[in-house]
Amino acid sequence: MLSIQNLHAQIEEEEKAILKGLNLEINPGEVHAIMGPNGAGKSTLGNVLAGKDGYEVTEGSVFFKGQDLLALDVEERAHVGLFLAFQYPVEIPGVQMLNFLRTCTNETRLARGLPELSGMDFLKLARAKAADLKINPDMLKRSVNSGFSGGEKKRAEILQMALLEPQFAVLDETDSGLDIDALRIVSEGVNALRDGKRSFLVITHYQRLLDHIKPDHVHVLADGQIVRSGGPELALELEERGYVDYEKAA
Amino acid sequence: MSQALESLRQSADQRFSSLGWPNRRVEAYKYSDLSGLKQLETADAIATPPSGLDALTGIDGLSLVSASQASAELQDKIGSLIPLDDAVAAYSTAHLDEVIVLTIARNTKIEQPLVLDHGRMATGSSFPRYLVVLEKGAEAELVERYAANSDGMTCPVVEIFVEPGAQLKHYRAQTEAVASTHLGWTAAEVGRDANYRHIALNQGAGLARHNIRVTLAGTGAHVDLLGLHLLQGKQSCDSHTYINHAAPNTTSNEVYKSVVAGSANSIFQGKIYVAKDSQKIEGNQMSRGLLLGPRARVNNKPELEIYADDVICSHGSTVGALDEAALFYLRARGIPADRAKQIMVEAFINDVLEDLGDASELEAHWQPVINEYLSAVFAGDQAD
């Protein structure tokens, strides 16, 4: 599904290397968690995969379903089935949530060779998916993320994921800013999309999200490299001992 | 023409002869140089009655006459709201010919929009001139459209009296061809507890200047000035507004937004003036510019001149490009870059046009102009 080899990336303006030879293989249906101290490069990895401006890949490759992911435009990456759930979803005043959701759903469907959904069909679909995530239908009439609480923003991200049906999703610190109830709802939303084929990369600082979204593999990212990999028990160990060992190593 | 109007015309003619077209050294024209404009002989003016005036006959409560048929009291109002020391006002008045006077009778609500449509016309210059009076408690919607498709000049002057308790919603769209020059005036006096709402679309003309002067003359008077500039190519468009809080307890709300592509130049100069005894007033002004290219320009100049001490006044002005983080967010959800930009610009524009109540004028006449502008700008059709 996703194959990252010897990935080196830097922030363009600072010419400061953030990722320093990262390797990662994710197979269909797998859930991988990446944990690590602040500044290890966790969010950079998500941004580089999604194609955000301002990062430069200086070495290495990323293949997604056999395709050179780094050669694709941001929107093309979404079309081939990559989804990034943002750590900080962007507020866009004046763009109605429902129109936004419909535009991105239909643009993605068109790119995948599927027919557009009519206004009525889309409304039914969006309302049903929103209800699953306990999203108040009134939220769909508001501007994208504008004035949403932390929990509402993260639920809106999962709603977008449910509508776009990606094959691979990166969840960037999706647990940050969530209380226990919101964490449960968001996790249930993610788990509902685990169908044995779809893969996930869960980026998090804390173990608690992984109580709800059970990973198959856990990796520790420190100073731009994966320094240790293991099963779910690794997350528990990190929770107990913290990142102290890895910060020193860095 | 009556003796009074003829003497108004002559004094404007003399005034303009000494003023000439202003260059950039004239403060009010700092960003709009008119000194290259020609001066027309009076004989070149073409009389251009608006189309559709027939539709306004036979409406209960509406009187539509030419100035010569109007009462002396109404005739005296002509020219009373515009300052002849402004070159554009003087020039237009110097070519004064026909003045159309619309009066909406006391306590009458007219449902049908009063449309003054100056569509395409032959080469030349025109000087449409209106006096609009809403008597006490009257309610109406006024629509002005300028769409000249020629290399001439349009110099309309509209003077409006919104008498106590009256309400006027006024849509003004200027969508002339880029070969055209548009120099317009809108002046209004708003009486006690009256409400004037002006919504302006400036999308056309190579060189455009729109002066707006509103006097809040009675307690409780309110004005909204909402404006859009949608520019591209080498267009220059200047909205110059002046709101005079001449009475206490008056309120004003002003929002101007500019979308500027190519090497176009958008200018907004807005002054709020608060007289010494105008306590408890509230005036809010916001001007925002959105630059769609490296050569696009926005010059916004907000001004406050306040002589009272118990007032709430605010002004803000921003100029910037599209929010990169928002664009990335939209694209990361599968929306192609050009479509994402268009969505952002639409959002920027819609903020001005929402909450206007019945918006049939917007849907029928403005939306196609906005759509056409967005298509042109995002078709990669921007050589300069």
Side-chain angles (χ1 to χ4, degrees), chain A residues 50-52 73-75 78-79 83-84 86 90 92-95 100 104 107-108 145 157 160 164, chain B residues 323-339 343-344 346-348 350 354:
Chain A
K52 189 174 184 178
D73 282 338
V74 176
E75 54 268 34
H79 296 160
F83 183 90
L84 170 67
F86 282 58
V90 182
I92 314 181
V95 177
F100 160 68
C104 57
E107 289 286 354
T108 300
N145 295 324
E157 292 292 290
Q160 289 160 41
L164 294 177
Chain B
D323 178 358
E324 287 294 333
L327 279 178
F328 173 63
Y329 188 73
L330 294 174
R331 294 180 68 197
R333 294 298 175 254
I335 300 174
D338 271 359
R339 180 88 185 93
I343 287 171
M344 301 269 302
E346 280 168 355
F348 181 81
N350 287 341
E354 60 191 14

Side-chain angles (χ1 to χ4, degrees), chain A residues 164-179:
Chain A
L164 294 177
E165 301 185 322
Q167 290 178 307
F168 171 63
V170 180
L171 309 182
D172 187 6
E173 308 253 359
T174 293
D175 50 334
S176 67
L178 293 188
D179 61 29

